[in-house]
Each structure stands twice: as C-alpha cells, then as structure tokens.
C-alpha cells in the first residue's frame, strides 16, 4: 500500500541518524523519500547491510509511484514518462513532463529523412534560463516494408534521440529492433490482432511497448493485464485520440477514467498514457496552417489531462513552441519557485563606469530583466538578490526583499559600490522604490529608482545615465 507520511517511511529506515545520506536525521531523509527528492539508494546502510534487505525491498514497493514510470531510449537523452502519484498538481506535483515525439516516414528520401530528423534534434527554445528541447522521433512504417523501415531506423538511430517504432506489422517492428536492439525504443503498437507477436518482441528485446484499443477501455485493460502477466512491465496505454467531435470528447473522458483508476489503486491500468495529436492531420483540414493549429489544440488538451507522451507532426514554431511551453508550465514543481542562484552577474564586459542594477532571483524576473538589458546593448552589472524565488513587488510586500538583504547580497558577491565603481550608484527596480532611503543608509551609496518595467530601462538609461555628480 502506498505511504504518504514521513513517519511511515521512517519505520523502514535504520534509525541511526548516521548522516551518510547527507541529512542530519533519518526522519529528515524519510521526508525526502516522501516528496521524492531522495531515493532509498541514497542511504548506504539500508542498501549495504543485509539485515535491512527485507525492509529495503518493502520500502521500494510502497514508495513506488501509483503510475508506473517507463524509460524510452538510452544514455543522457533517455526520457522517463509516467511516475505520477496525484490527479491534481497542488496535492504534490506532477513528475516527468509530457514528452513530445515528432514523426518521420520511412518512405522519405534519405536526404529528406536526415534533414527532418536533424531539425527535430536541433529544435530548441531558450526559456527561463535553459533550453527547451524536443524529446524524440517517431518512425512511421508508411511503406510497410521491413527492409525500408530498418534502413530508416538505422539512419535515425545515428542522431541519438529516443525512438518510437510505429507499425502494426510485427515483421516491420522486428526489422527495426534488429538494427537498434540496444537503443530501447518504444514499440507502437500491440492491438487485438497482433498482440501475441508484438508481446513476444517486447519480451525478446526487453523494450517498452504500447497497447492500443481505440475507445474501448475494457479491451485496453485486458491487453495491459495480459502483457503484465506475461512478464512485460514497461507498458504504455493508447486509448485512441480522435481529432474532433464526439470522438474527441470520448478520448478526453477516457484519459480521465484511466488516470483516475490508476491513481486510485487499479494497478492493472496504472501505466503512462499516449496521446496522438497528429490525428489532426486526418480530420479533413486542407490548410496546413489550420491543421497545425488544431494539432496544437489537441496537444494542449491532453498535456493538461494526463497525456504522458505524444506523437506530433508540425515542426512549425507557431505550433511546436506553445506545446513546449505548456508542458514546461504544467510540470513546474509548485513546491519550489523557479529561481536562479543569487549573486552578481555581468551583462557584457562591464567596468567601473558601468551601471549597477539589482533584481530578485525569481527566474522569470531575472531573465526578463537580463534579456531586456542585453538585447539593447547595455553593458552593466546585475545583482540577483535571493528572495526565495519571489518577484520584486511580492518580495517587497512580504519582507523577503529588504535593504539588509540587498547589502548581504553585495557582501556575498564581494562587490562594493564605493570601491568597485566610479559613480557609487545603484539603480533599483521601480517596484521597490520604497526601499530607496533605507538602501542609501545601509549601503552608503547613491540609489536611483529605475523604471517599473525592465522594458523601459533603455529609455531610462538614455535620460539618466551617467548620473550627475
């Protein structure tokens, strides 16, 4: 039975408070196990000493997520899907954000195939301090020719991204597995007609597999149960993704039913769910832009409601970027504000005459300010004050941003406004104007109130910099 209390996990630990896990007490480590920021393998005595072997095994079972976690691919680019414990993010968090795989067809000319796969691999968007990337390639056996499919798989495998093999023909899937048996691809898919042959492939090559039954949850559950009983553990569910009308409504409801049943303890259907937004291209929409738009709409619907992995088609930025941003947003951990490390950062190559700004370490605030400054060619110093990842206005109101905090940030950065600049001046955000007097007293320097919006910094600098002596 799943446990949700640190006290329950504590019962299975050595209770020696040895500190080898990096925590001062076993209770603190138990808390990390419950919120999944720690693993049982982080406790050396629990893993190494034989007398704890039984407790370790039991603890791993009761800590396992309600929805099985499945890994696709190998190495650094391997992706995990599933692994969730809750229906609603505010109750804990969602784990393993929705993975976006984009299709290629095996009947493309070699140059076109390589070009599209490279486009998938190179697609990225800088967002709040990191690059958002696409997750993998779904290779469609459009030709239904084992030799042609194997050739396409071989070319795609060279890029190194995780792969999904898409065919209902077991012979085609086997041909792909023969040339990529060590890449841990996901097989799509086993259905009521080919389940035996595809199941045998999953067992033989030890790869994850999708079981598919369109709009038939009883059949889907039967397939999943049959595969599990045969020894296949890494299963993904495909209940069908209809692109419009009543079919789309049924698909949405099916996703809800599956995930609710899995979270509530029905282990026979507690697996990751696959959505297929690329069915938008089968909805009779003639205009490619409209089809791309509708694909994005479908992807958005199933990102919000439990789609763990998706196969899509359009690589146009206006289609792919909203999908990437939504997945990143929905799967942000609400327990931890997105933040950057506090400290002094350089924008360009500043010197003693360059302006000095500060903002908070809330990532969205910091990168917005940094982007507005650097995009306009302003060379400066930018101090990120640690406010526990809270924005300027809220942290001033809540007491996380004070003159003492700003001085402490300067001290930790080893930066003295009176020694390291010729102008002895700090420019503060307009939303923290109330701190001006306190900052002048605390820092012993000039403090000028900047604009309310960082987008107005260039105009402000033009009028107010350098400061008048």
């Amino acid at each position: 039975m799943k446990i949700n209390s640190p006290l329950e996990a504590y019962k299975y630990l050595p209770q020696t408070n040895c500190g080898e896990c990096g925590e001062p007490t076993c209770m603190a480590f138990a808390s990390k196990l419950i919120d999944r920021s720690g693993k049982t393998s982080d406790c050396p005595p629990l893993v190494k000493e034989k007398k704890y072997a039984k407790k370790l095994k039991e603890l791993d079972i009761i800590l396992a997520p309600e929805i099985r976690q499945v890994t696709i691919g190998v190495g650094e680019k391997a992706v995990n899907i599933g692994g969730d414990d809750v229906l609603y993010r505010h109750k804990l968090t969602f784990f393993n954000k929705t993975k976006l795989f984009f299709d290629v067809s095996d009947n493309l000319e070699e140059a076109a195939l390589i070009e599209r796969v490279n486009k998938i691999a190179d697609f990225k968007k800088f967002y709040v301090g990191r690059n958002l990337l696409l997750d993998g390639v779904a290779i469609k056996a459009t030709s239904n020719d084992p030799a042609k499919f194997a050739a396409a798989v071989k070319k795609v495998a060279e890029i190194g991204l995780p792969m999904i093999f898409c065919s209902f023909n077991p012979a085609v899937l086997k041909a792909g597995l023969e040339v990529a048996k060590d890449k841990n691809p996901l097989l799509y898919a086993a259905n009521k007609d080919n389940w035996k042959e595809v199941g045998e492939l999953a067992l033989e090559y030890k790869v994850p597999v999708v079981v598919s039954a369109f709009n038939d949850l009883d059949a889907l559950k039967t397939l999943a149960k049959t595969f599990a009983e045969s020894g296949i553990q890494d299963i993904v569910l495909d209940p069908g993704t209809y692109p419009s009308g009543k079919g789309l409504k049924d698909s949405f409801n099916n996703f809800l039913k599956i995930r609710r049943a899995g979270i509530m303890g029905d282990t026979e259907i507690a697996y990751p769910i696959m959505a297929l937004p690329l069915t938008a291209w089968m909805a009779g929409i003639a205009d490619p832009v409209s089809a791309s738009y509708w694909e994005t709409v479908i992807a958005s619907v199933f990102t919000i409601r439990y789609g763990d992995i998706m196969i899509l088609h359009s690589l146009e930025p206006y289609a792919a970027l909203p999908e990437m941003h939504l997945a990143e947003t929905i799967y942000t951990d609400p327990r931890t504000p997105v933040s950057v490390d506090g400290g002094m950062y350089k924008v360009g190559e500043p010197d003693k005459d360059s302006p000095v700004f500060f903002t908070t370490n809330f990532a969205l605030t910091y990168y917005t300010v940094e982007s507005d400054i650097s995009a306009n060619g302003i060379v400066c110093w930018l101090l990120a004050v640690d406010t526990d990842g809270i924005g300027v206005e809220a942290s001033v109101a809540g007491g996380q941003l004070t003159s003492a905090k700003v001085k402490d940030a300067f001290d930790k950065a080893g930066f003295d406004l009176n020694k390291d600049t010729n102008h002895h001046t700090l420019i503060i955000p307009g939303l923290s104007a109330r701190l001006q007097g306190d900052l002048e007293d605390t820092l012993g320097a000039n403090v000028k109130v900047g604009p309310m919006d960082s987008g107005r910094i260039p105009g402000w600098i033009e009028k107010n910099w350098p400061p008048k002596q």
Side-chain angles (χ1 to χ4, degrees):
M1 182 179 178
K2 179 78 178 178
I3 60 173
N4 297 299
S5 164
L7 190 59
E8 292 173 310
Y10 177 76
K11 298 174 184 177
Y12 294 87
L13 299 179
Q15 301 178 19
T16 58
N17 296 333
C18 64
E20 292 186 52
C21 62
E23 296 297 322
T25 65
C26 288
M27 182 61 77
F29 181 66
S31 297
K32 294 189 70 173
L33 291 177
I34 294 300
D35 69 19
R36 289 172 61 177
S37 60
K39 301 176 290 187
T40 54
S41 58
D42 296 333
C43 175
L46 189 64
V47 175
K48 295 176 181 178
E49 297 183 29
K50 292 183 179 180
K51 62 181 179 179
Y52 298 123
K54 183 179 178 182
K55 285 189 173 182
L56 174 61
K57 184 177 180 179
E58 292 174 349
L59 188 57
D60 281 335
I61 291 172
I62 59 181
L63 286 175
E66 298 288 1
I67 305 302
R68 182 172 178 81
Q69 180 171 290
V70 174
T71 300
I72 305 166
V74 293
E76 292 182 356
K77 294 184 178 179
V79 297
N80 295 317
I81 60 175
D84 281 321
D85 277 320
V86 294
L87 284 170
Y88 305 105
R89 188 180 70 163
H90 65 268
K91 290 188 174 181
L92 179 61
T93 187
F94 289 151
F95 297 91
N96 300 326
K97 73 175 181 179
T98 303
K99 299 303 183 290
L100 307 178
F101 281 64
F102 286 77
D103 72 325
V104 298
S105 295
D106 67 347
N107 62 354
L108 288 174
E109 294 293 333
E110 182 176 321
L113 175 73
I114 293 173
E115 180 183 4
R116 181 166 173 83
V117 174
N118 282 330
K119 191 173 182 180
I120 295 169
D122 296 339
F123 195 105
K124 63 182 178 181
K125 174 66 168 66
F126 184 79
Y127 178 69
V128 193
R130 60 190 181 280
N131 286 318
L132 303 184
L133 306 172
L134 304 181
D135 299 295
V137 181
I139 309 168
K140 298 190 301 184
T142 308
S143 68
N144 201 34
D145 180 341
K148 187 169 283 190
F149 185 74
V153 168
K154 190 173 182 180
K155 288 294 180 184
V156 174
E158 292 173 359
I159 305 298
L161 290 175
M163 297 178 288
I164 302 174
F165 294 172
C166 302
S167 177
F168 290 111
N169 185 340
V172 169
L173 294 176
K174 184 176 178 67
L177 287 167
E178 280 298 316
V179 297
K181 61 180 67 177
D182 60 340
K183 302 298 185 182
N184 194 39
L186 174 64
L187 301 185
Y188 180 91
N191 59 20
K192 62 183 179 61
D193 299 317
N194 67 4
W195 64 270
K196 186 174 181 180
E197 295 85 351
V198 174
E200 289 172 352
L201 289 175
L203 282 171
E204 179 183 352
Y205 291 92
K206 297 180 174 59
V207 294
V209 61
V210 178
V211 294
S212 178
F214 282 14
N215 205 22
D216 188 344
L217 296 188
D218 289 335
L220 189 69
K221 184 175 181 178
T222 299
L223 281 171
K225 182 180 179 181
T226 301
F227 273 40
E229 290 175 347
S230 69
I232 301 171
Q233 294 183 326
D234 292 336
I235 298 169
V236 179
L237 306 175
D238 171 27
T241 306
Y242 290 87
S244 60
K246 184 179 182 300
L248 178 57
K249 179 181 178 182
D250 289 342
S251 297
F252 180 80
N253 288 332
N254 287 339
F255 274 62
L256 293 179
K257 291 174 183 177
I258 292 170
R259 184 50 49 90
R260 186 177 291 116
I263 294 295
M264 297 304 290
D266 187 347
T267 57
E268 294 177 352
I269 205 165
Y271 298 104
I273 311 174
M274 172 178 280
L276 302 172
L278 86 169
T279 56
W281 295 84
M282 306 171 192
I285 303 173
D287 177 28
V289 174
S290 298
S292 295
Y293 163 76
W294 194 243
E295 180 181 57
T296 302
V297 170
I298 296 173
S300 301
V301 167
F302 292 106
T303 297
I304 293 170
R305 278 296 175 261
Y306 315 127
D308 296 293
I309 182 170
M310 297 183 180
I311 301 179
L312 304 111
H313 175 72
S314 179
L315 282 168
E316 295 295 337
Y318 59 75
L321 290 178
E323 295 155 359
M324 299 168 73
H325 279 271
L326 181 62
E328 186 71 18
T329 301
I330 295 297
Y331 283 81
T332 298
D333 190 343
R335 302 169 300 174
T336 308
V338 182
S339 61
V340 300
D341 293 334
M344 182 65 79
Y345 293 87
K346 294 181 179 180
V347 180
E349 293 296 330
D351 55 26
K352 286 193 172 186
D353 293 316
S354 301
V356 182
F357 296 88
F358 88 76
T359 188
T360 71
N361 74 327
F362 175 45
L364 190 57
T365 296
Y366 173 82
Y367 284 108
T368 299
V369 174
E370 191 273 341
S371 176
D372 287 336
I373 291 173
S374 60
N376 287 279
I378 299 172
V379 176
C380 67
W381 303 93
L382 179 58
L383 179 71
V385 180
D386 186 356
T387 57
D388 300 323
I390 301 174
V392 175
E393 188 171 24
S395 58
V396 170
Q400 291 87 0
L401 180 58
T402 62
S403 58
K405 271 282 187 78
V406 176
K407 184 179 188 307
D408 183 58
F410 273 112
D411 291 344
K412 288 180 178 178
F415 193 98
D416 189 321
L417 283 166
N418 293 310
K419 294 180 180 179
D420 296 320
T421 70
N422 293 327
H423 49 73
H424 320 308
T425 301
L426 172 66
I427 304 168
I428 68 174
L431 292 173
S432 64
R434 71 179 75 174
L435 300 180
Q436 183 181 18
D438 285 345
L439 282 169
E440 288 179 335
D441 293 340
T442 303
L443 298 175
N446 302 320
V447 176
K448 296 180 76 68
V449 178
M452 304 283 279
D453 184 337
S454 61
R456 299 177 183 176
I457 287 177
W460 188 94
I461 286 288
E462 189 175 331
K463 293 179 180 179
N464 299 281
W465 197 265
K468 297 177 181 179
Q469 296 297 322

